[in-house]
Amino acid sequence: MEVKTSLLDNMIGVSDMVLLEPLTEDSFLENLRKRFDHNEIYTYIGSVVISMNPYRSLPIYTPDKVEEYRNRNFYELSPHIYALADEAYRSLRDQDKDQCILITGESGAGKTEASKLVMSYVAAVCGKGQEVNKVKEQLLQSNPVLEAFGNAKTVRNDNSSRFGKYMDIEFDFKGDPLGGVISNYLLEKSRVVKQPRGERNFHIFYQLLSGASDDTLKKLKLDRDFSKFNYLSLDSAAVNGLDDAANFRTVRNAMQIVGFMEDEVQSVLELVAAVLKLGNIEFKPESRCNGNDESRIKDKNDLKEMCELLGIEQSVLERAFSYRTVEAKLEKVSTTLNVAQAYYARDALAKNLYSRLFSWLVTRINESIKAQTKSRHKVMGVLDIYGFEIFEDNSFEQFIINYCNEKLQQIFIELTLREEQEEYVREGIEWTNIEYFNNAIICDLIENNQNGILAMLDEECLRPGTVTDETFLDKLNTICAKHQHFESRLSKNSKFLTDHSLPHSCFRIQHYAGKVLYQVEGFVDKNNDLLYRDLSQAMYKATHSLIKQLFPEGNPAKVNLKRPPTAGFQFRASVGTLMKNLKTKNPNYIRCIKPNEKKASHIFTESLVRHQVRYLGLMENVRVRRAGYAFRQLYEPCLERYKMLCKRTWPHWKGPAREGVEVLMGDLQIPTEEYSYGRSKIFIRNPRTLFSLEERRRECLQDLATLIQKIYRGWKCRRQFLLMKKSQIVVAAWYRRFAQQKKYKKIKSATTVVQSYTRGWQARKLLRELKYQKRCEEAATTISAYWHGTQARRELRQLKEEARNKHAVSVIWAGWQGAKVRREYRKFFRANAGKKIYNFTIQRIMQKYFLSLKSNMPSMSPIDNKWPNRPYLFLDGVHKELRRIFHHWRCKKYRNQFTEERKTVYEEKLEASEIFKDKKALYPSSVNQPFKGDYLEISKNPKYQKLSSAMDEKVLLADVVNKINRANGKGTARIFLLTKKSVVLADQKTGQVKTSVPLPDLDSVSVSTQSDGFFALKLKEGSASAIKGDFLLSSEHLIEIITKLHRTGAMAADREQLNIDISDEFLVQFKQDKVCVKFIQGVSKNGNSASCKRKNNRLLEVLVPSLA
């Protein structure tokens, strides 16, 4: 049985602040300090997780920790961010409830790291599989890209998110991720042109200059020296713990995994370089004859390089920096820009260029990670947005950020109260109203459509005439003067007239997190966020592939005289949409706290933490949870934990768990007003009651431990005694066995000796008798042998005598005949002896030569080059001529065996050699394979009778191929038919014709150089067959198919010869999109066959096994 620990076991401080007793702000902070000092950085407030930034790595995020918190109850283990992530994921998967995880806190409190931990945990516990792993990897790798372009080093955080991010992760019914959608809010684009002291620009600028290769920087016309760029601050260019070069490589790799094409990455880097070049453009004044000052560019080198990067005519952009065209209904007015206005135009262009590039990146990432299926998805949203900010100089950006945090605090209080109320109603517990601070009055002060600050700011921006930050402040003083959360030095409220902490150009808002003083300077300009139309039109004229997408308003054909919406209006609409989205999901909260301003570990600054606890409303959250009941638990775990306190429930309770808890509480005599029974849980009102139960349980566990030890020791002693008794019996039995074996061996040895002596005596007696019999038999045999020998020698002498007499007669007759012949031969030899000997010798040599050829004749194969060696030099000409005649005769015999079909096959083999030899690795293995053509026997097979009857011409080739699907890279079986006029693809099961392509519509065929069977049939543009796009197929008989296609095209007089393109990377047209098919070598999951998989919407990758 698995042993499960509890939240209440081995506590350091109090793990859940709801159980803190007494509950004061000091005790709250002391509990946080105590846990922080013991590396317990997570603490609960009910279902809310408080996360303290440790500013160092802790061993609490290992794979073992993931498995420990997987599928466990929220309060079952000590507090951890994994517990909240697991609770949200299981609610989404099992209960079909959409979830959202809201991560809030100050800059530097660890919000971004918390969002990464949540996403990594969900990725670790959800399903596995090639497609699922690809989606998870893309979702995780989107973070480094967005951090590089949207994060920067600030005085409070080395990796501060300067934009708000909300990601909806979409899951299927099994809980496997399908994709995601990212929304970004209010990028701090003013940082592009100016950074406060001690802070840096966005990471990507420093990463590009530090990590890009020399060739890349040369193409981008950049230098590694940060000091050569005006937009980069030098006092904090290098940050301890940040390796910009390594991070640049990480970003490049992440962009490739997410699905960015190489040309897209290059385009993005060119725009980043253009922003740096733009900051180096400087202006000088020049007086005109009419007395007006206009601006001129000092050094045009940076302007020239920027125009070369973006593909813009230098004169067009130079004029846009010097003149501004104002368009009314029927007229245009061109005015010159002075130096200050030119610098404003330059910075406005830089900010707009970078912010629009960032928005394009988010859109491009969404395109890659979006879910492919259109069915209903389960959604888990993760919100990582900037925290509440109070700086020395607070401007429009801080005002908007704090407004967003006001809305998040409002929804936090509403949803927390709603969740508490819903649980009481669900459990049948009486609900008591809870008093809390409602910040709706602050939200109304900012966002009211009539008298709100944002509405008045928009009204000032749209008002004709001279509009300045001072007129806007005057309007605030007039309308918001009596508001209790608005303060200004010129307010009608007299108590602020003598408040010297309020400068004249500032106003103060009392937020839920405290009072914030805002500098009104720049509010109007930042809200307007204007980019001169001349600059937009100049950007639209660029030849760069990305610029025109970023500046669509620059199209002269689509000039819109309507004023664009203000930044405040757009952000208020985005926040409103976000709040509606969050209210439709079940919320989960992570409240991040920064322990100190030094970004150092083991330092707990009480004043800083106290300030964050106040503005995060954590004390109010605890009071909301404790207003009704401080602790609640299901009946089953409650009974399991405390059943040892009652004899009636220990050790086993056989009835329902609720009845067991009722018996337990009654036996413990706990006052009934301290607890209530819900439908599935018991609710305990006061933490003291819970701690009393825990104390009793601790004492009972000690008694139980003593009892268990006593029983264990008795059992251990009995077991030891029985073991010794059993051992004694075994030892005695073994000894008796050994004694008997020893006695038996002695008796056996004596018996063996006696038997051996007896058997020896008997054997010797028998031997003597046998020897005597043998001697008698040998004597008789010897006498008989001598007698037979005498008789044989006598007969031999008689036979020899007769033979000598006969031989004498034969010798005399032979001698006489020889003498007679010699006399006759001597007469004949004297006349023609030399010539006849010569002819006879030549005749015998030729006879021997031809007989030798006959016995050593080579085989009838025309490729056999063997031939017997020449025996005599004078036969050299004859030897060669005979070899030539024999080879010609042998070839004629071989050719006479060919049929017309076999002759055609050899011609096709020859043509295949010309096309593929030394060009494709698959060709050598196809040489020994005969070209059959009709592999399906389509005319004989009754399954394809209907398909055979539909073909008007003779089928030159019939085979089964796989048609590759672009969406997933998987193949679908199709019948491939080739006739003299067309290529036909038909369904393998039904035989129905799917596609028929006339051969004149084929433009070319593309194959790789490797040992795969993939080939692409490319159709001519504009042909009737090209509507659905090209065909990507794979076949085991690729060499034969391409050869027959090429041969059929070459034999037709009215058609052009078919082009064969052999390359490891080629483009295939699928309807309106072109997809790159790339062949790489590696280990395929299909064994020795190639496999195809989709990398992204524009790339199919074919993995070809390496040849052994």
Side-chain angles (χ1 to χ4, degrees):
M1 180 179 178
E2 184 181 6
V3 179
K4 296 183 178 181
T5 59
S6 169
L7 177 72
L8 299 171
D9 289 333
N10 303 319
M11 283 197 307
I12 297 173
V14 178
S15 300
D16 191 343
M17 290 293 189
V18 177
L19 304 178
L20 185 63
E21 191 68 24
L23 177 60
T24 63
E25 191 175 82
D26 292 335
S27 63
F28 191 98
L29 292 172
E30 182 59 30
N31 189 53
L32 285 179
R33 178 199 293 274
K34 185 176 182 180
R35 292 181 60 78
F36 179 75
D37 291 342
H38 289 81
N39 294 328
E40 293 289 339
I41 63 172
Y42 296 113
T43 308
Y44 290 156
I45 301 179
S47 60
V48 177
V49 175
I50 302 175
S51 172
M52 298 281 288
N53 191 345
Y55 287 115
R56 63 193 179 96
S57 297
L58 295 177
I60 58 174
Y61 307 109
T62 61
D64 293 338
K65 277 289 181 183
V66 172
E67 290 300 320
E68 182 180 347
Y69 280 86
R70 187 173 185 174
N71 294 327
R72 304 293 282 268
N73 185 276
F74 185 77
Y75 297 104
E76 192 172 327
L77 299 172
S78 59
H80 202 289
I81 196 171
Y82 285 170
L84 180 135
D86 185 74
E87 183 75 14
Y89 176 70
R90 285 190 294 112
S91 298
L92 176 136
R93 182 191 63 191
D94 302 335
Q95 303 175 19
D96 201 18
K97 292 182 180 179
D98 288 348
Q99 304 289 317
C100 64
I101 297 176
L102 307 181
I103 307 172
T104 56
E106 271 197 12
S107 177
K111 301 186 297 299
T112 301
E113 289 301 319
S115 67
K116 291 180 186 178
L117 290 172
V118 170
M119 293 178 63
S120 63
Y121 179 84
V122 173
V125 300
C126 63
K128 310 295 181 186
Q130 184 175 358
E131 285 298 324
V132 174
N133 290 338
K134 178 184 176 183
V135 172
K136 291 193 292 188
E137 188 66 17
Q138 286 185 335
L139 290 174
L140 293 176
Q141 290 300 324
S142 65
N143 280 325
V145 179
L146 293 179
E147 284 185 14
F149 286 87
N151 287 24
K153 189 262 183 190
T154 66
V155 293
R156 297 188 173 185
N157 187 2
D158 290 342
N159 188 31
S160 177
S161 298
R162 306 318 298 162
F163 71 104
K165 181 180 72 172
Y166 176 73
M167 174 184 282
D168 268 336
I169 307 174
E170 300 175 338
F171 298 83
D172 62 8
F173 68 97
K174 297 178 295 183
D176 295 339
L178 297 173
V181 179
I182 298 174
S183 302
N184 66 302
Y185 300 94
L186 192 67
L187 176 72
E188 188 189 13
K189 56 186 178 181
S190 61
R191 180 172 292 272
V192 175
V193 299
K194 184 179 180 182
Q195 305 90 41
R197 181 175 296 276
E199 299 189 3
R200 293 205 315 177
N201 210 323
F202 292 102
H203 291 325
I204 187 62
F205 296 111
Y206 304 93
Q207 292 174 359
L208 174 61
L209 297 179
S210 300
S213 64
D214 293 336
D215 290 340
T216 301
L217 291 180
K218 186 176 180 181
K219 291 178 182 178
L220 298 177
K221 307 180 187 306
L222 296 176
D223 194 286
R224 292 195 190 277
D225 188 2
F226 296 157
S227 63
K228 293 187 178 181
F229 302 100
N230 296 336
Y231 279 167
L232 300 184
S233 60
L234 301 179
D235 56 341
S236 57
V239 181
N240 293 332
L242 279 183
D243 187 348
D244 290 321
N247 290 338
F248 181 74
R249 293 189 291 271
T250 302
V251 171
R252 288 293 298 266
N253 182 57
M255 294 181 78
Q256 183 180 2
I257 293 174
V258 171
F260 283 83
M261 305 296 287
E262 191 61 35
D263 58 336
E264 291 177 327
V265 176
Q266 184 63 27
S267 297
V268 170
L269 296 181
E270 288 172 354
L271 292 190
V272 174
V275 172
L276 290 175
K277 289 292 180 183
L278 190 59
N280 288 350
I281 297 175
E282 296 182 346
F283 302 92
K284 61 183 179 179
E286 185 174 298
S287 299
R288 300 182 65 182
C289 58
N290 57 5
N292 293 331
D293 287 338
E294 64 179 28
S295 64
R296 285 288 181 267
I297 296 176
K298 288 183 181 180
D299 185 2
K300 297 184 180 181
N301 184 51
D302 288 307
L303 177 66
K304 177 184 176 182
E305 292 181 347
M306 175 190 169
C307 291
E308 290 174 356
L309 283 173
L310 302 183
I312 304 175
E313 291 186 16
Q314 183 176 342
S315 60
V316 174
L317 191 57
E318 186 176 356
R319 176 176 173 78
F321 281 136
S322 301
Y323 297 91
R324 177 188 179 188
T325 303
V326 180
E327 296 185 21
K329 291 184 177 179
L330 298 175
E331 61 177 337
K332 296 183 179 180
V333 178
S334 181
T335 60
T336 60
L337 300 179
N338 57 32
V339 173
Q341 291 172 331
Y343 276 115
Y344 174 83
R346 181 200 69 174
D347 292 344
L349 177 60
K351 291 187 289 185
N352 275 271
L353 183 59
Y354 190 83
S355 65
R356 296 185 189 200
L357 172 62
F358 186 78
S359 299
W360 180 87
L361 282 171
V362 174
T363 304
R364 180 64 182 83
I365 292 172
N366 284 336
E367 181 182 338
S368 294
I369 67 175
K370 67 180 180 181
Q372 300 297 322
T373 59
K374 296 183 179 179
S375 58
R376 182 186 178 277
H377 307 142
K378 303 176 182 179
V379 177
M380 176 184 289
V382 180
L383 178 64
D384 174 13
I385 202 162
Y386 15 58
F388 197 88
E389 293 187 348
I390 305 177
F391 298 144
E392 291 183 5
D393 295 326
N394 301 289
S395 187
F396 180 75
E397 290 85 2
Q398 283 68 44
F399 177 74
I400 290 295
I401 289 171
N402 294 342
Y403 160 63
C404 180
N405 278 270
E406 286 284 357
K407 296 293 290 183
L408 287 174
Q409 177 68 11
Q410 186 180 24
I411 196 173
F412 170 71
I413 294 296
E414 289 179 2
L415 294 180
T416 302
L417 288 174
R418 187 181 70 185
E419 180 185 358
E420 192 80 6
Q421 183 176 5
E422 286 177 353
E423 182 172 19
Y424 285 165
V425 173
R426 188 169 57 249
E427 294 293 329
I429 304 296
E430 182 180 355
W431 167 255
T432 56
N433 192 26
I434 300 172
E435 295 294 334
Y436 66 95
F437 171 67
N438 189 348
N439 67 335
I441 186 173
I442 304 175
C443 296
D444 184 70
L445 170 65
I446 298 173
E447 67 181 1
N448 188 282
N449 290 329
Q450 294 181 352
N451 298 326
I453 296 176
L454 287 175
M456 286 187 284
L457 182 58
D458 288 347
E459 184 178 336
E460 278 295 297
C461 292
L462 298 176
R463 181 174 61 82
T466 303
V467 178
T468 63
D469 297 318
E470 288 73 17
T471 60
F472 166 62
L473 182 59
D474 291 340
K475 194 163 191 173
L476 289 183
N477 291 332
T478 303
I479 298 177
C480 303
K482 295 183 179 180
H483 198 285
Q484 57 182 336
H485 292 275
F486 178 85
E487 302 174 7
S488 171
R489 188 171 182 83
L490 300 179
S491 171
K492 293 182 180 179
N493 196 339
S494 60
K495 69 177 182 178
F496 298 120
L497 292 176
T498 58
D499 188 355
H500 297 287
S501 65
L502 266 172
H504 288 278
S505 61
C506 299
F507 65 92
R508 182 186 293 155
I509 295 180
Q510 186 173 353
H511 290 281
Y512 76 94
K515 294 182 179 182
V516 181
L517 184 67
Y518 295 104
Q519 299 280 348
V520 77
E521 181 182 355
F523 263 61
V524 174
D525 285 341
K526 292 176 181 179
N527 189 51
N528 271 326
D529 196 20
L530 288 179
L531 179 67
Y532 296 153
R533 185 175 288 111
D534 302 75
L535 289 172
S536 298
Q537 293 177 350
M539 291 294 106
Y540 188 79
K541 293 177 182 177
T543 59
H544 194 276
S545 58
L546 193 55
I547 287 292
K548 282 193 177 183
Q549 301 178 40
L550 301 184
F551 293 89
E553 76 276 11
N555 187 353
K558 299 180 181 179
V559 175
N560 186 4
L561 300 180
K562 184 178 179 181
R563 190 182 185 92
T566 63
F569 178 83
Q570 295 180 50
F571 187 73
R572 182 174 59 177
S574 299
V575 170
T577 304
L578 175 64
M579 295 303 124
K580 290 179 182 178
N581 191 1
L582 295 179
K583 288 182 180 179
T584 61
K585 296 178 173 61
N586 185 47
N588 302 271
Y589 299 98
I590 301 174
R591 310 296 247 176
C592 298
I593 293 179
K594 180 165 62 173
N596 60 77
E597 292 283 8
K598 298 180 180 179
K599 295 179 281 189
S601 58
H602 303 295
I603 298 178
F604 186 94
T605 306
E606 183 174 332
S607 59
L608 177 64
V609 177
R610 185 186 301 272
H611 172 69
Q612 294 173 81
V613 168
R614 286 177 180 173
Y615 83 68
L616 287 174
L618 299 184
M619 292 296 294
E620 288 78 2
N621 191 11
V622 176
R623 293 189 182 100
V624 166
R625 291 285 297 186
R626 292 181 57 163
Y629 295 88
F631 183 77
R632 72 278 327 258
Q633 192 174 29
L634 294 172
Y635 289 123
E636 288 80 2
C638 180
L639 180 62
E640 184 69 24
R641 185 167 183 81
Y642 300 112
K643 63 182 180 181
M644 71 284 297
L645 302 181
C646 175
K647 293 182 179 180
R648 297 167 62 186
T649 58
W650 177 260
H652 300 292
W653 174 259
K654 297 182 180 180
R658 173 169 178 166
E659 294 180 5
V661 173
E662 291 175 353
V663 169
L664 175 65
M665 301 303 281
D667 189 70
L668 294 175
Q669 297 181 354
I670 296 176
T672 55
E673 64 271 10
E674 286 295 320
Y675 61 88
S676 293
Y677 296 111
R679 293 187 175 90
S680 62
K681 298 179 181 178
I682 180 173
F683 291 77
I684 297 177
R685 186 178 300 277
N686 200 310
R688 286 191 297 271
T689 304
L690 179 65
F691 292 141
S692 174
L693 287 173
E694 283 295 311
E695 185 62 31
R696 294 187 187 183
R697 179 177 180 272
R698 207 171 289 113
E699 295 173 357
C700 187
L701 286 176
Q702 292 177 357
D703 296 338
L704 288 174
T706 303
L707 178 62
I708 292 172
Q709 287 176 350
K710 180 184 72 174
I711 295 173
Y712 171 74
R713 290 188 182 112
W715 168 82
K716 186 175 181 180
C717 290
R718 283 191 298 274
R719 183 184 177 193
Q720 182 70 16
F721 168 75
L722 293 175
L723 181 62
M724 292 180 65
K725 182 179 179 181
K726 182 179 179 181
S727 300
Q728 185 271 334
I729 294 172
V730 171
V731 171
W734 276 89
Y735 175 76
R736 285 194 292 269
R737 175 186 176 188
F738 171 75
Q740 291 297 324
Q741 285 178 341
K742 188 175 181 181
K743 182 178 179 181
Y744 168 75
K745 287 179 181 179
K746 287 182 179 180
I747 296 173
K748 183 178 179 181
S749 177
T751 304
T752 302
V753 170
V754 174
Q755 288 179 347
S756 65
Y757 276 104
T758 303
R759 291 193 187 97
W761 174 78
Q762 291 178 345
R764 286 191 293 275
K765 181 179 179 182
L766 180 61
L767 178 63
R768 286 193 297 272
E769 293 176 353
L770 291 175
K771 284 183 177 180
Y772 177 75
Q773 292 178 2
K774 183 178 180 181
R775 281 196 296 271
C776 293
E777 292 174 356
E778 288 178 351
T781 302
T782 302
I783 295 171
S784 176
Y786 273 102
W787 167 249
H788 289 303
T790 303
Q791 290 294 105
R793 283 189 294 275
R794 186 181 296 130
E795 291 179 3
L796 178 63
R797 282 194 296 272
Q798 293 175 1
L799 291 173
K800 284 183 177 181
E801 186 67 27
E802 293 175 359
R804 278 195 296 271
N805 294 334
K806 291 180 180 181
H807 182 67
V809 174
S810 300
V811 169
I812 294 169
W813 172 253
W816 182 81
Q817 288 289 336
K820 184 179 179 181
V821 168
R822 283 191 294 274
R823 276 197 305 269
E824 294 293 328
Y825 181 73
R826 278 194 295 269
K827 295 178 181 179
F828 179 78
F829 181 75
R830 290 189 186 101
N832 298 307
K835 183 178 180 179
K836 288 186 176 290
I837 290 173
Y838 175 80
N839 290 337
F840 176 79
T841 303
I842 294 299
Q843 184 179 3
R844 292 295 298 172
I845 289 173
M846 294 299 294
Q847 183 181 9
K848 184 178 178 181
Y849 170 70
F850 285 119
L851 290 175
S852 175
L853 278 180
K854 179 182 178 182
S855 60
N856 296 322
M857 192 66 68
S859 66
M860 294 296 291
S861 174
I863 63 174
D864 189 358
N865 293 323
K866 294 181 180 178
W867 187 252
N869 296 326
R870 180 193 61 196
Y872 299 98
L873 183 62
F874 73 93
L875 294 175
D876 183 69
V878 176
H879 192 72
K880 292 179 179 179
E881 185 64 17
L882 285 175
R883 181 175 184 177
R884 185 185 64 81
I885 294 171
F886 176 78
H887 179 69
H888 287 178
W889 174 77
R890 180 170 59 180
C891 291
K892 184 175 181 302
K893 284 285 186 181
Y894 190 82
R895 287 195 302 271
N896 291 340
Q897 297 175 4
F898 282 8
T899 62
E900 287 297 320
E901 294 179 355
R902 192 172 180 187
K903 184 178 180 182
T904 303
V905 169
Y906 274 87
E907 290 175 352
E908 291 176 349
K909 285 286 186 178
L910 181 59
E911 191 165 346
S913 175
E914 295 174 354
I915 296 173
F916 295 105
K917 187 175 181 180
D918 298 329
K919 298 178 182 178
K920 184 163 179 66
L922 183 66
Y923 171 74
S925 63
S926 70
V927 174
N928 297 329
Q929 299 176 0
F931 288 175
K932 293 177 60 178
D934 188 2
Y935 290 90
L936 303 180
E937 297 181 350
I938 192 168
S939 58
K940 299 178 183 179
N941 196 334
K943 179 179 179 181
Y944 305 118
Q945 183 176 2
K946 181 178 178 181
L947 181 61
S948 178
S949 61
M951 306 305 297
D952 297 330
E953 297 179 345
K954 180 182 177 181
V955 176
L956 301 179
L957 185 140
D959 193 12
V960 175
V961 301
N962 284 324
K963 182 175 178 291
I964 305 304
N965 189 352
R966 171 202 177 181
N968 50 20
K970 296 182 179 178
T972 304
R974 291 284 186 269
I975 297 176
F976 183 95
L977 302 179
L978 173 64
T979 67
K980 292 183 178 181
K981 293 185 178 181
S982 62
V983 172
V984 178
L985 291 176
D987 189 84
Q988 185 186 15
K989 296 182 179 179
T990 63
Q992 181 180 358
V993 176
K994 293 290 186 182
T995 307
S996 178
V997 180
L999 289 181
D1001 288 352
L1002 281 180
D1003 181 47
S1004 64
V1005 179
S1006 294
V1007 298
S1008 75
T1009 63
Q1010 304 185 34
S1011 59
D1012 60 279
F1014 286 78
F1015 65 100
L1017 297 180
K1018 297 187 177 180
L1019 305 180
K1020 293 181 179 178
E1021 294 184 2
S1023 62
S1025 304
I1027 297 175
K1028 293 184 178 180
D1030 303 335
F1031 298 90
L1032 182 59
L1033 310 172
S1034 68
S1035 171
E1036 296 179 357
H1037 306 100
L1038 179 139
I1039 302 297
E1040 182 178 356
I1041 291 175
I1042 304 302
T1043 302
K1044 286 185 180 291
L1045 272 173
H1046 186 268
R1047 184 177 176 83
T1048 306
M1051 293 174 64
D1054 57 342
R1055 291 194 298 270
E1056 297 179 0
Q1057 191 170 5
L1058 189 65
N1059 294 324
I1060 308 297
D1061 177 25
I1062 302 178
S1063 174
D1064 283 341
E1065 186 170 344
F1066 51 81
L1067 295 177
V1068 179
Q1069 182 78 28
F1070 284 111
K1071 292 186 178 179
Q1072 301 301 325
D1073 298 326
K1074 285 189 178 181
V1075 176
C1076 178
V1077 182
K1078 187 175 181 180
F1079 295 80
I1080 61 174
Q1081 287 193 353
V1083 179
S1084 175
K1085 294 184 178 179
N1086 298 335
N1088 292 329
S1089 61
S1091 62
C1092 180
K1093 62 180 180 179
R1094 181 177 70 91
K1095 297 298 288 182
N1096 52 56
N1097 291 342
R1098 295 183 178 85
L1099 178 62
L1100 284 175
E1101 188 174 277
V1102 180
L1103 195 63
V1104 183
S1106 302
L1107 294 175

